[in-house]
Amino acid sequence: MRHTTLFFTLLALSIGSATPTITYAQKAKIAHSVKSNRPIPLDPAIKVGKLANGFQYFILRNSEPKERVLFYLANKVGSLQETDKQQGLAHFLEHMNFNGTTHFPKNALVDYLQKSGIRFGADLNAYTGFEETVYQLPLPTTDPALLRQGILIMRDWANGALLEDDEIDQERGVILEEKRQRSGLSHRLQEKTFPLLTNRSRYAYRMPIGTDEVLNNFKHEEIRQFHKDWYRPELQALIVVGDIDVDTIEKEIVAQFSDLKNPKNAPKSKSYPITLTGKNQFLAFTDPEVTQSSLQILYKQEARKTQQLSDYKNSLAKDFFVQLCNMRLAEQTRKSATPFLAASLSNSPLVGNIETNGIQITPKPDSLQSSINAVYYTLGQIATHGFTNVELERLKSDYRSMLVQSLKEYDKTDSKSFMDQILAYYLKGEPAPSFQFLQPVLLNALEEIRMADILTYGKEFEDHQNRDMVLVYNDDLKTVPSESILNDWIKNASKQEVSAYQEEQLADQLLAALPKPGEIVSVTDDKKVGTQTLLLSNGAKVILKPTLLKNDEILLTSYSPGGYSQYSLKDFQSATNAVNIVTNSGLGPFNSLQLSHYLNGKNANASPFINEIGEGIKAQSNREDLQTAFELLYGYFTVPRLDRDINKTNLEKTKLSLKNRQQQASTFFTDSIAAALYNNDPRKTAPTLQKIEEIDFDRSFEIYKDRFADASDFTFVIVGNFDRAFIDPYIKQYLATLPSIKRKESFVDNGAYPPQQGIRRAIYKGKEEKSTVAMAYLGTYEDYSEYNNLLMDALSSSLTIKLTERLREKEGGIYSISVSPSLAKNPRKRFGMNISFTTAPGQVEKLVTAALEEIELIRKNGPSQEDIDKYIAEKLLSSSQQMQYNGFWLSYLLSSSIDQLDPARIFNESEQIKSITPAKVKELAQKYLEPSHLFQFTLYPEQ
């Protein structure tokens, strides 16, 4: 099952960090404005009810995606409510609800839903946190009987777990393997730091996964008692969001849940707030797998809740402070003299009642003190001189644009977004207003915010109490400072004299003079698919598909054959890094930082790519900013730039990140596999310091310009809300005038492939008592076709079902298994059937033998009709949904054009899916899962 992710940035800092980005959902959640003490109203479209037994429900009709609904059962119980001898039972009980309930004994629930097209894990899921357990079920709404069964499943999850002895004992091994699967550097770091961060509160000793001692030895009656005590209606709510009739759903809920009883003398649900002691704490942590040193300084405080309208402005102002500081710090990393690789501020929830204001620093080797000086110089500069009005207005413009665009697309909002909001409302008491209400509130807050409102939050990153410092280090840190030394460094760094920030002036336009517009030479209509194909005067081809799938979204992609396969091994590193070198440099008159400033407030972007067999540019925008998107695309063809300084700085960072790359067991494992499969071919193996040294900036720039020197063999696809009258002027001005030299290219097959005969190899790295098994059937795929690809997908699905049943349910030796096909048409027809899982080292041989037995049974007998029916149901369900997204049409139309296939074939896909049979899949399995094609690599701990 999926689990709540703890706020834990320490591991990210120990292996490299990037400037954080803020999503719309995060901004909307913490955006606070308006001088009012009015409470925040719940979205009136949400139907809210409470039964006499205390059970609550929330129902919202939303038609995106169409004919789909989400059911969530939320239980206000998690690991915090466990006694010492129950540690892990909240999570264990979550598992047991999939192993037998009143109406679905044993594995009947998963089996029934798979037959309805619902994937276990990907769709059907659950998670357990400290304070909640949540079950998730997505369903199609086209079958009323299935909808009623969905509510019955929710009823069973609320109160109907069978908790049979044999099922409990069988699941012990599965959960212990889940625990093993999570082990590694992140877990070791968490074990050391989480008690410190939570002030050794109950949170520190109630990790949801539990303890080995309890998981191995708890009595059956203990989990039954936990279920009786805590799975009770007064602590439960059903949330339903989707394309449904609200009144019908409400009647079903009332009928199913009204008779649930609260147990007599049930334990009271307790909260366990973390006490702020006023003390400062310090921890130094090292581990053989730490690849980079880092310092995290966290100031803990009581979490501020958003409860009334006046809260919005305050929280938005703090968000602005963090973002503006991070922009300044990120700017420093462009300079080679800057001693840190990355630095940022954050404001985030920890757990329970606590949030943190954090300063994170990843220094260059043995540069921790100078990194602290550099970071605190920037913070001192901000405290003394503030931000510029230009910086503030730029951020406001971006935020304003986001709010306006979000309202345009509000009626296209996915049900999952509403579900997450209502779930937080029920579990955490967070607000859940409608966006029509919230958007003007946020816009008002935006206009009210002044510089003084923002700068007041600087003091929250310099408190002298409730501060935790965690130093993660490796050998790059020659001398490990003590807490007192770090305190002195920070104290002295805070006293530096600072000068005012000077910002570079921007050019006012990206492109200079444009050529005379080109022409559309011919137009071909495909009325069945709803597309038009245009031939331009420079030879480029454009495929247009207008849609109303989004209110204000236009997507573009493109492709030309060639790619970096065109270049010799001598130029390979320069070729594969060409796009990064150009995009790091900026565009036209702007360096990369200036380009980001130029694009502030504009909803448009474009990005070039070069892969092994081709190159192109992707772009997206709304209607208002479409010209900017086309300018970017035109610019990447005609006015790329080379900034040696920023690229030199970036390559130095890359070298530092590679220095300790192979210390991590998982990285060493994947690198070793690539080296074995491709005989150390530089084109296919992991990056190294030597490869970085081979990059020549000038040659990279030449290669980039060569790849985009000729638009005559480019195919462009544009999908979204537009018509010809709107889009044609852009096509004529920006696409039909791209350079054209009429060359004809194709990709080159450089012949880097695995050997014909399989390999079996053991690899030793790391100290965790854990093994990873990576198996793959690899070889030539002469039967490549879309239909055979469907058969391969069906084979993968059948293998997943059978290997899960054998290795997890019967053997109890794994938590999960991954089975996935990898199929390629170019540069050579190749197939791969990849299988991987994690287990105990002593279990490897037994489980591999069991897996091979199941594979051979499918080769001999074919998959069962039942398993093929499950695949067909799932595939039909996903296939019917894909055409509701612009992104699907974008990639589908491009690939159809490249492969010269009729795009109307998509309307016959369901018939192809229904024609899949066990016999057809068996034939494919016999041919491609041949034992001599098996490659097996196993990671063991170092001996």
Side-chain angles (χ1 to χ4, degrees):
M1 311 300 162
R2 178 177 63 82
H3 294 269
T4 302
T5 302
L6 298 173
F7 165 65
F8 215 78
T9 59
L10 296 174
L11 177 63
L13 285 169
S14 72
I15 60 175
S17 179
T19 303
T21 57
I22 306 297
T23 65
Y24 160 69
Q26 290 169 318
K27 283 180 175 177
K29 177 182 172 184
I30 61 176
H32 301 168
S33 83
V34 179
K35 298 174 182 177
S36 169
N37 291 325
R38 286 177 54 200
I40 301 166
L42 180 67
D43 184 346
I46 301 171
K47 177 81 173 187
V48 181
K50 189 173 185 178
L51 304 180
N53 56 15
F55 188 90
Q56 297 183 57
Y57 58 86
F58 304 83
I59 312 169
L60 177 65
R61 175 173 172 77
N62 183 60
S63 58
E64 293 293 332
K66 295 179 178 60
E67 299 180 345
R68 294 292 183 271
V69 64
L70 283 174
F71 291 94
Y72 275 29
L73 178 74
N75 300 266
K76 289 185 177 180
V77 58
S79 58
L80 285 186
Q81 305 303 330
E82 298 165 348
T83 64
D84 287 343
K85 62 181 181 179
Q86 293 175 336
Q87 291 181 67
L89 294 197
H91 169 243
F92 204 115
L93 184 52
E94 171 216 313
H95 276 240
M96 293 307 299
N97 255 327
F98 292 88
N99 288 351
T101 60
T102 303
H103 297 94
F104 299 92
K106 301 295 182 182
N107 293 317
L109 172 61
V110 174
D111 187 60
Y112 168 75
L113 290 171
Q114 284 179 328
K115 289 175 181 176
S116 303
I118 308 303
R119 297 167 298 171
F120 182 53
D123 299 319
L124 174 68
N125 215 323
Y127 74 88
T128 302
F130 290 106
E131 297 163 285
E132 76 277 353
T133 306
V134 179
Y135 298 85
Q136 308 167 358
L137 175 62
L139 290 176
T141 59
T142 48
D143 183 351
L146 181 58
L147 268 185
R148 287 192 294 273
Q149 286 291 86
I151 296 175
L152 182 64
I153 290 167
M154 291 289 151
R155 157 73 190 231
D156 270 12
W157 278 342
N159 191 248
L162 295 179
L163 302 175
E164 296 169 315
D165 290 359
D166 60 336
E167 292 293 332
I168 293 171
D169 290 336
Q170 180 66 31
E171 202 66 19
R172 293 182 198 267
V174 173
I175 294 179
L176 288 167
E177 289 306 320
E178 179 181 1
K179 194 166 184 279
R180 186 191 311 277
Q181 187 169 301
R182 297 185 193 182
S183 64
L185 176 60
S186 175
H187 176 72
R188 295 194 294 272
L189 181 58
Q190 181 171 279
E191 278 190 322
K192 294 292 185 182
T193 55
F194 197 61
L196 178 98
L197 298 177
T198 56
N199 290 349
R200 294 168 181 80
S201 65
R202 191 176 181 87
Y203 287 90
Y205 308 105
R206 287 296 183 273
M207 299 304 293
I209 194 65
T211 66
D212 285 9
E213 174 65 23
V214 171
L215 296 174
N216 275 310
N217 300 302
F218 72 86
K219 305 297 184 185
H220 300 149
E221 192 53 41
E222 193 69 55
I223 195 169
R224 293 178 186 132
Q225 188 63 46
F226 187 87
H227 179 254
K228 179 181 177 182
D229 285 343
W230 296 109
Y231 273 56
R232 58 189 202 244
E234 63 186 0
L235 299 177
Q236 295 174 320
L238 180 59
I239 309 170
V240 186
V241 181
D243 194 3
I244 42 88
D245 180 83
V246 172
D247 292 338
T248 300
I249 293 294
E250 183 179 31
K251 289 177 183 176
E252 290 286 342
I253 292 172
V254 171
Q256 287 287 359
F257 292 90
S258 292
D259 65 341
L260 294 180
K261 307 293 184 185
N262 290 300
K264 295 179 180 179
N265 303 316
K268 291 184 178 180
S269 185
K270 296 180 181 178
S271 61
Y272 295 91
I274 297 171
T275 302
L276 292 174
T277 64
K279 296 178 180 179
N280 294 335
Q281 303 178 97
F282 172 72
L283 174 71
F285 174 90
T286 191
D287 187 278
E289 292 191 27
V290 172
T291 59
Q292 289 179 337
S293 299
S294 65
L295 175 66
Q296 187 166 38
I297 306 167
L298 293 175
Y299 299 96
K300 292 184 294 205
Q301 63 183 28
E302 289 285 337
R304 295 187 177 98
K305 286 194 173 184
T306 304
Q307 295 178 319
Q308 53 194 29
L309 293 184
S310 57
D311 292 329
Y312 280 116
K313 176 183 173 183
N314 300 329
S315 193
L316 180 57
K318 184 167 186 178
D319 184 31
F320 275 19
F321 177 80
V322 170
Q323 289 191 67
L324 289 168
C325 286
N326 286 340
M327 290 174 188
R328 289 272 188 96
L329 291 168
E331 186 177 338
Q332 297 302 308
T333 63
R334 297 175 54 83
K335 304 170 184 176
S336 59
T338 299
F340 55 80
L341 295 169
S344 62
L345 269 62
S346 64
N347 169 243
S348 304
L350 182 62
V351 287
N353 58 308
I354 299 299
E355 66 180 25
T356 61
N357 301 304
I359 302 171
Q360 299 87 24
I361 304 171
T362 305
K364 291 178 180 176
D366 212 31
S367 299
L368 180 57
Q369 183 178 9
S370 54
S371 293
I372 290 171
N373 285 335
V375 169
Y376 277 86
Y377 182 91
T378 299
L379 297 181
Q381 187 181 60
I382 292 166
T384 304
H385 301 284
F387 302 104
T388 68
N389 287 328
V390 172
E391 287 177 296
L392 177 55
E393 289 307 312
R394 201 159 46 218
L395 188 56
K396 283 189 174 185
S397 175
D398 243 7
Y399 195 87
R400 190 180 297 110
S401 174
M402 177 272 296
L403 288 172
V404 171
Q405 187 66 25
S406 296
L407 188 60
K408 287 180 183 178
E409 300 291 356
Y410 185 59
D411 66 329
K412 304 290 187 181
T413 303
D414 191 276
S415 291
K416 179 66 164 59
S417 298
F418 290 114
M419 177 62 78
D420 291 342
Q421 188 181 32
I422 299 169
L423 183 67
Y425 175 84
Y426 172 69
L427 291 175
K428 309 294 184 184
E430 295 181 7
S434 72
F435 192 67
Q436 291 98 327
F437 172 87
L438 184 61
Q439 196 245 24
V441 171
L442 299 180
L443 285 172
N444 287 339
L446 193 65
E447 303 313 318
E448 290 176 4
I449 288 176
R450 301 292 179 264
M451 193 69 72
D453 300 321
I454 296 170
L455 293 175
T456 187
Y457 290 101
K459 65 180 182 298
E460 296 192 5
F461 294 84
E462 56 186 36
D463 286 347
H464 300 294
Q465 58 182 7
N466 293 313
R467 185 199 67 194
D468 294 341
M469 282 197 295
V470 177
L471 176 64
V472 178
Y473 66 94
N474 63 3
D475 293 343
D476 285 341
L477 194 62
K478 303 303 181 187
T479 303
V480 180
S482 64
E483 180 179 12
S484 61
I485 290 175
L486 281 173
N487 283 332
D488 288 341
W489 287 355
I490 293 170
K491 182 179 179 181
N492 293 332
S494 301
K495 295 178 179 178
Q496 296 173 91
E497 292 187 11
V498 296
S499 58
Y501 172 76
Q502 299 295 322
E503 185 169 11
E504 296 177 296
Q505 293 297 310
L506 286 181
D508 58 2
Q509 58 184 9
L510 174 62
L511 302 174
L514 288 167
K516 178 183 176 182
E519 296 296 330
I520 297 172
V521 176
S522 66
V523 180
T524 305
D525 289 307
D526 186 333
K527 289 186 168 51
K528 188 168 184 180
V529 183
T531 62
Q532 289 186 309
T533 300
L534 318 181
L535 182 64
L536 307 185
S537 52
N538 60 354
K541 183 169 75 172
V542 182
I543 301 170
L544 301 177
K545 181 170 177 59
T547 77
L548 297 176
L549 299 174
K550 285 282 190 179
N551 297 326
D552 194 16
E553 178 182 75
I554 300 174
L555 306 180
L556 180 149
T557 192
S558 57
Y559 176 81
S560 166
Y564 54 71
S565 69
Q566 294 278 334
Y567 303 96
S568 68
L569 198 54
K570 176 185 175 183
D571 287 331
F572 186 75
Q573 299 304 324
S574 297
T576 55
N577 287 279
V579 165
N580 282 340
I581 285 166
V582 167
T583 54
N584 287 339
S585 298
L587 193 60
F590 304 119
N591 65 34
S592 56
L593 179 64
Q594 293 166 338
L595 181 62
S596 69
H597 290 168
Y598 172 76
L599 293 174
N600 274 114
K602 298 181 176 73
N603 191 335
N605 64 70
S607 55
F609 68 87
I610 301 174
N611 60 32
E612 183 178 6
I613 61 173
E615 59 274 336
I617 295 179
K618 300 177 181 180
Q620 70 176 62
S621 77
N622 56 13
R623 291 170 63 91
E624 181 181 352
D625 295 315
L626 185 61
Q627 181 172 343
T628 299
F630 272 102
E631 285 181 347
L632 291 167
L633 182 149
Y634 188 87
Y636 278 122
F637 267 92
T638 61
V639 289
R641 61 184 273 154
L642 175 60
D643 184 331
R644 287 182 177 80
D645 289 339
I646 185 62
N647 279 296
K648 182 179 178 181
T649 300
N650 286 338
L651 284 193
E652 288 303 314
K653 292 180 186 177
T654 302
K655 290 177 184 178
L656 291 173
S657 68
L658 291 175
K659 182 180 177 183
N660 300 310
R661 173 184 170 87
Q662 302 241 322
Q663 288 178 202
Q664 292 196 322
S666 59
T667 301
F668 183 84
F669 185 50
T670 55
D671 289 358
S672 300
I673 292 174
L677 286 178
Y678 299 102
N679 195 27
N680 292 301
D681 189 304
R683 293 181 180 88
K684 297 292 186 179
T685 47
T688 63
L689 292 173
Q690 180 183 341
K691 289 181 180 181
I692 298 302
E693 294 292 348
E694 292 173 9
I695 298 172
D696 181 299
F697 293 155
D698 292 308
R699 183 61 179 137
S700 289
F701 195 48
E702 288 174 5
I703 289 170
Y704 177 90
K705 290 189 291 184
D706 178 51
R707 291 298 86 218
F708 293 93
D710 182 16
S712 67
D713 64 349
F714 266 78
T715 297
F716 296 89
V717 181
I718 307 175
V719 177
N721 193 347
F722 60 82
D723 55 29
R724 287 290 305 279
F726 177 73
I727 204 78
D728 277 11
Y730 296 111
I731 292 172
K732 292 176 181 179
Q733 179 63 74
Y734 295 101
L735 299 186
T737 57
L738 290 171
S740 173
I741 56 178
K742 307 294 183 182
R743 70 185 177 189
K744 297 299 179 183
E745 286 188 324
S746 185
F747 51 81
V748 176
D749 186 351
N750 288 308
Y753 299 102
Q756 292 185 350
Q757 196 72 19
I759 297 171
R760 179 168 179 166
R761 185 165 298 175
I763 297 165
Y764 297 89
K765 189 71 173 178
K767 60 185 182 180
E768 289 289 340
E769 193 62 19
K770 175 171 74 171
S771 282
T772 300
V773 177
M775 305 164 62
Y777 292 86
L778 305 173
T780 302
Y781 185 30
E782 61 265 24
D783 301 320
Y784 184 99
S785 70
E786 288 190 323
Y787 186 68
N788 280 338
N789 292 350
L790 274 177
L791 295 180
M792 279 287 193
D793 201 29
L795 175 58
S796 170
S797 174
S798 300
L799 286 169
T800 300
I801 292 170
K802 282 294 174 279
L803 293 177
T804 299
E805 288 175 357
R806 178 70 182 273
L807 273 61
R808 173 177 163 141
E809 306 302 336
K810 183 177 179 181
E811 306 289 349
I814 65 168
Y815 169 60
S816 63
I817 190 165
S818 171
V819 184
S820 62
S822 55
L823 311 171
K825 182 178 182 181
N826 297 314
R828 190 181 297 182
K829 294 177 181 177
R830 299 282 302 176
F831 85 95
M833 186 63 74
N834 309 291
I835 303 167
S836 63
F837 57 87
T838 298
T839 189
Q843 292 265 71
V844 168
E845 290 303 318
K846 181 181 80 168
L847 295 182
V848 167
T849 299
L852 293 176
E853 286 175 1
E854 295 299 327
I855 292 168
E856 282 304 306
L857 284 172
I858 286 180
R859 289 188 74 233
K860 179 181 178 181
N861 305 319
S864 68
Q865 184 65 56
E866 182 179 38
D867 288 349
I868 292 299
D869 288 343
K870 290 176 180 178
Y871 171 75
I872 290 173
E874 182 273 318
K875 194 67 178 176
L876 288 173
L877 202 58
S878 61
S879 179
S880 67
Q881 285 291 296
Q882 63 187 2
M883 288 186 282
Q884 296 185 29
Y885 298 95
N886 285 329
F888 163 77
W889 284 108
L890 192 75
S891 58
Y892 174 74
L893 292 172
L894 181 63
S895 63
S896 298
S897 176
I898 293 169
D899 293 335
Q900 297 182 324
L901 297 172
D902 180 6
R905 71 194 188 283
I906 188 65
F907 303 118
N908 299 319
E909 186 179 57
S910 62
E911 296 306 312
Q912 282 198 311
I913 294 168
K914 291 174 185 176
S915 73
I916 293 172
T917 65
K920 292 176 182 178
V921 175
K922 172 187 172 182
E923 183 180 353
L924 211 68
Q926 287 179 335
K927 185 171 185 178
Y928 291 108
L929 301 188
E930 215 279 324
S932 65
H933 292 161
L934 176 62
F935 295 75
Q936 181 192 328
F937 300 91
T938 306
L939 175 66
Y940 290 100
E942 292 174 83
Q943 296 175 323

